[in-house]
């Protein structure tokens, strides 16, 4: 029986290919959380499974983030200006985002800081950050925010200088959301660290694209300069 | 193997696919969704750029996936049904050369669609004054490889069944499972037994491994094996 070199070559490549696939397939990618492990923590499992198996995990995490922003941006009943501000589903929304994409840094930071500093649910904020950190281990922003929240939890004093220092260093990092920078600027102003506050608002002026925060930053810089020059008594504008 | 013949068939395949109704549908689908992406970006105030890039990646992937699977299945099946294939094969063209030409045509046009959508995205970024990041191009590379692999699987099922719907549906199922193989492997590793199921998963490429160090090679091997089997089967197939 004569076997041509061409057939032999094809057979060789085929065998090597199958062998390689079998070996390589032993790898399990641990990049994202497994739904099987999280079981009851996964809300709307069918929606999640469809989005992941369609290959649109990132887009789905964006949609979850928009849902979160819409929920947190809607005024609750209660106080005439800000509503009651309890937002009972905030943790559930945050958990959804972090389960689908723990590498979505800005969304995770906004979720955790809203939980910690917005509705004062520190333990939930910590659980969100710890979950994200268990996947994105080297994310400095997560570590910085976690340490700031922990200091806040320990001291229960928003004007604590160590907390402010940590938050200040964190907010100066690249691509931190405007909301966080605005909060830090505001806290610095209240703690009478006017130079730091001005610096924070200047960063917003330089990097933000949101007209709302640009307007706030301009007004705050003018206001703090007046306070510094003793032309105005401190008062929140 | 006559490369010139393959080139000619690939070029004619590109021209045919370019003028088909389905290509226009996909094109309008992509344009409408590009508009939707702008609205979505506005809704997520601080994350507009990320949402824009994720949305464009997704529509590129879904659009090209549907386009390539349907075009591949219809072009070969309609050639067989309308007996046009006899006209081609009556010339000095081998069956596998015809199939390879058709397949390459679809792959090349898929690549061109990806480039076209990416250009729209880059123009949108420039209008919005955002910087272009190379990570996006890397992700497009992943998408193109996934499209190549799923097209090779679709080619195999088109050759076996010569039915547009069967080939499309099976390929879509493989696409879904391929994104979920990692999870299934993990679940099966925690359960005793089901050895047959564990090895059955090797038939389906694990798309989550694409970002590993030699993920590209892994995908290429699948692509090569599926294409090779399709060519061999088609060469031996009695076309009636």
């Amino acid at each position: 029986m004569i076997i041509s070199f061409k057939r032999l070559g094809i057979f060789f490549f085929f065998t090597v290919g199958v062998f390689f696939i079998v070996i390589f397939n032993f790898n399990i990618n641990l990049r994202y959380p497994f739904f099987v492990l999280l079981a009851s923590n996964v809300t709307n499992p069918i929606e999640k499974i469809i989005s992941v198996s369609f290959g649109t995990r990132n887009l789905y995490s964006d949609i979850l983030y928009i849902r979160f922003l819409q929920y947190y941006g809607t005024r609750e009943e209660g106080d005439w200006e800000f509503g009651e501000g309890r937002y009972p589903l905030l943790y559930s929304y945050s958990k959804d985002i972090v389960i689908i994409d723990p590498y979505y840094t800005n969304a995770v930071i906004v979720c955790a800081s809203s939980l910690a500093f917005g509705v004062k649910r520190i333990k939930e904020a910590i659980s969100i950050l710890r979950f994200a950190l268990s996947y994105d281990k080297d994310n400095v922003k997560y570590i910085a925010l976690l340490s700031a929240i922990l200091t806040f939890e320990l001291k229960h004093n928003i004007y604590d200088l160590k907390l402010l220092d940590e938050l200040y260093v964190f907010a100066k990092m690249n691509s931190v959301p405007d909301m966080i920078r605005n909060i830090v600027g505001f806290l610095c102003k209240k703690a009478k660290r006017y130079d730091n506050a001005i610096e924070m608002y200047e960063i917003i002026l330089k990097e933000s694209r949101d007209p709302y925060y640009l307007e706030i930053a301009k007004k705050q810089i003018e206001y703090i300069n007046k306070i510094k020059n003793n032309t105005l008594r401190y008062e929140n504008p | 193997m006559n490369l010139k013949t393959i080139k000619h068939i690939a070029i004619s395949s590109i021209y045919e696919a370019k003028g088909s109704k389905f290509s226009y549908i996909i094109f309008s689908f992509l344009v409408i969704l590009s508009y939707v992406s702008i609205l979505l970006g506005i809704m997520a105030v601080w994350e507009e750029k990320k949402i824009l890039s994720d949305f464009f990646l997704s529509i590129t992937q879904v659009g090209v996936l549907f386009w390539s699977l349907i075009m591949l299945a219809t072009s070969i099946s309609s050639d067989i049904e309308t007996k046009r294939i006899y006209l081609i094969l009556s010339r000095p063209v081998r069956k596998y050369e015809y199939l390879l030409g058709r397949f390459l045509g679809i792959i090349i046009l898929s690549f061109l669609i990806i480039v076209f959508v990416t250009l729209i995205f880059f123009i949108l970024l420039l209008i919005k004054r955002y910087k272009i990041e190379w990570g996006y191009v890397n992700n497009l590379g992943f998408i193109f490889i996934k499209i190549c692999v799923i097209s090779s699987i679709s080619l195999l099922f088109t050759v076996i069944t010569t039915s547009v719907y069967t080939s499309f549906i099976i390929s879509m199922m493989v696409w879904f499972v391929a994104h979920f193989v990692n999870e299934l492997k993990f679940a099966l590793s925690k359960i005793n037994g089901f050895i047959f199921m564990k090895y059955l998963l090797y038939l389906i490429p694990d798309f989550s491994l694409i970002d590993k160090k030699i993920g590209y090679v892994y995908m290429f091997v699948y692509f090569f094996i599926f294409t090779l089997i399709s060519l061999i089967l088609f060469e031996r197939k009695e076309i009636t």
Side-chain angles (χ1 to χ4, degrees):
Chain A
M1 193 178 143
I2 300 165
I3 303 171
S4 69
F5 276 115
K6 207 165 84 180
R7 282 189 181 179
L8 207 64
I10 289 171
F11 180 73
F12 175 73
F13 275 115
F14 192 82
T15 317
V16 170
V18 171
F19 187 70
F20 175 75
I21 282 174
V22 171
I23 297 290
F24 201 74
N25 250 327
F26 279 114
N27 282 311
I28 292 180
N29 196 342
L30 301 173
R31 188 171 155 77
Y32 289 106
F34 290 108
F35 296 147
V36 188
L37 275 182
L38 297 165
S40 60
N41 283 305
V42 180
T43 51
N44 298 329
I46 294 175
E47 197 179 283
K48 286 189 175 63
I49 287 170
I50 288 175
S51 67
V52 170
S53 51
F54 215 71
T56 51
R57 183 191 283 269
N58 287 349
L59 182 66
Y60 183 60
S61 67
D62 291 333
I63 292 167
L64 289 176
Y65 181 49
I66 291 173
R67 278 187 200 165
F68 171 90
L69 289 176
Q70 283 180 334
Y71 177 67
Y72 195 45
T74 310
R75 201 177 75 88
E76 283 188 324
E77 284 181 9
D79 180 66
W80 66 274
E81 196 177 2
F82 300 111
E84 207 170 321
R86 287 188 299 114
Y87 296 101
L89 296 176
L90 207 62
Y91 180 58
S92 173
Y93 277 91
S94 312
K95 212 165 59 174
D96 276 353
I97 297 172
V98 83
I99 284 173
I100 280 291
D101 189 2
Y103 302 89
Y104 195 168
T105 308
N106 284 355
V108 172
I109 283 170
V110 168
C111 291
S113 45
S114 306
L115 279 166
F117 305 119
V119 291
K120 307 278 187 301
R121 272 143 52 187
I122 306 288
K123 281 177 185 162
E124 290 176 352
I126 291 171
S127 89
I128 292 291
L129 278 174
R130 282 188 64 189
F131 187 86
L133 267 170
S134 63
Y135 288 90
D136 195 0
K137 292 186 177 67
D138 304 323
N139 195 323
V140 185
K141 288 180 185 173
Y142 291 164
I143 298 164
L145 185 62
L146 186 64
S147 62
I149 292 173
L150 285 174
T151 319
F152 180 55
E153 165 74 342
L154 281 173
K155 304 281 180 182
H156 288 287
N157 182 1
I158 199 71
Y159 306 118
D160 180 76
L161 295 179
K162 198 181 167 202
L163 164 70
L164 257 184
D165 284 342
E166 282 175 9
L167 275 175
Y168 178 70
V169 173
F170 165 69
K172 274 174 75 177
M173 288 174 182
N174 283 334
S175 63
V176 168
D178 296 338
M179 186 185 89
I180 310 290
R181 282 178 176 156
N182 188 43
I183 291 173
V184 175
F186 181 75
L187 291 176
C188 287
K189 187 183 79 177
K190 283 197 104 180
K192 297 186 179 174
R193 290 187 161 191
Y194 297 127
D195 291 333
N196 289 0
I198 287 176
E199 196 179 348
M200 201 47 59
Y201 288 119
E202 276 171 352
I203 293 173
I204 293 176
L205 275 182
K206 203 173 147 191
E207 291 181 13
S208 175
R209 302 167 64 90
D210 189 334
Y212 173 73
Y213 284 103
L214 289 173
E215 182 75 27
I216 286 182
K218 263 185 210 165
K219 280 185 182 168
Q220 289 289 355
I221 290 173
E222 270 176 35
Y223 194 79
I224 295 166
N225 278 329
K226 281 180 188 170
I227 298 170
K228 274 177 76 181
N229 300 331
N230 286 325
T231 54
L232 192 77
R233 280 186 62 201
Y234 174 73
E235 193 180 291
N236 191 15
Chain B
M1 189 189 288
N2 190 345
L3 288 178
K4 224 174 183 180
T5 315
I6 294 171
K7 193 183 93 181
H8 285 304
I9 296 171
I11 290 169
S12 72
S13 180
I14 289 172
Y15 277 107
E16 263 174 47
K18 205 180 73 178
S20 81
K21 281 177 193 168
F22 190 70
S23 301
Y24 289 113
I25 294 171
I26 288 289
F27 179 75
S28 21
F29 165 78
L30 289 175
V31 171
I32 292 165
L33 283 182
S34 309
Y35 178 69
V36 175
S37 75
I38 300 170
L39 296 178
L40 263 181
I42 293 165
M43 283 165 84
V45 244
W46 309 296
E47 289 296 317
E48 192 182 17
K49 190 184 173 188
K50 185 183 181 293
I51 286 181
L52 278 177
S53 66
D54 288 345
F55 196 83
F56 266 87
L57 280 174
S58 301
I59 61 169
T60 312
Q61 181 171 270
V62 175
V64 177
L65 170 74
F66 278 105
W67 183 87
S68 61
L69 293 188
I70 289 180
M71 287 315 294
L72 194 68
T74 46
S75 62
I76 295 166
S77 305
S78 72
D79 272 358
I80 295 173
E81 278 169 21
T82 56
K83 315 284 182 200
R84 194 178 153 221
I85 197 166
Y86 293 124
L87 209 68
I88 301 166
L89 295 180
S90 60
R91 291 170 188 175
V93 178
R94 299 283 299 269
K95 281 183 198 164
Y96 75 88
E97 287 172 346
Y98 159 79
L99 194 71
L100 201 57
R102 279 279 187 210
F103 185 52
L104 277 180
I106 301 293
I107 294 289
I108 291 167
L109 208 52
S110 301
F111 178 76
L112 292 177
I113 295 174
I114 291 176
V115 171
F116 176 73
V117 181
T118 309
L119 280 178
I120 296 179
F121 174 63
F122 284 170
I123 290 168
L124 194 72
L125 278 191
L126 288 175
I127 292 169
K128 292 203 165 250
R129 291 178 191 171
Y130 285 119
K131 280 180 194 165
I132 294 166
E133 281 171 18
W134 290 110
Y136 184 83
V137 181
N138 191 37
N139 286 333
L140 281 176
F142 288 155
I143 287 175
F144 181 64
I145 290 167
K146 285 199 281 184
I147 294 292
C148 287
V149 174
I150 202 73
S151 301
S152 65
I153 293 170
S154 175
L155 184 74
L156 177 66
F157 287 108
T158 309
V159 167
I160 293 171
T161 63
T162 61
S163 157
V164 178
Y165 299 109
T166 318
S167 157
F168 176 74
I169 289 167
I170 295 175
S171 309
M172 279 308 291
M173 284 196 287
V174 173
W175 174 267
F176 283 132
V177 179
H179 279 103
F180 222 68
V181 167
N182 196 43
E183 193 100 12
L184 291 172
K185 274 197 291 192
F186 179 77
L188 286 170
S189 70
K190 300 286 167 198
I191 306 167
N192 290 326
F194 292 101
I195 296 169
F196 173 70
M197 285 289 285
K198 283 177 195 172
Y199 288 104
L200 197 68
L201 282 180
Y202 289 166
L203 290 175
I204 300 165
D206 182 355
F207 284 163
S208 72
L209 294 179
I210 201 167
D211 55 2
K212 289 258 176 194
K213 259 185 185 172
I214 44 172
Y216 278 105
V217 183
Y218 169 74
M219 288 293 156
F220 176 75
V221 171
Y222 265 107
F223 173 74
F224 176 75
I225 287 177
F226 280 118
T227 313
L228 191 71
I229 295 172
S230 311
L231 295 179
I232 293 170
L233 286 179
F234 196 69
E235 184 65 24
R236 292 181 178 182
K237 196 179 173 78
E238 282 290 321
I239 298 165
T240 48

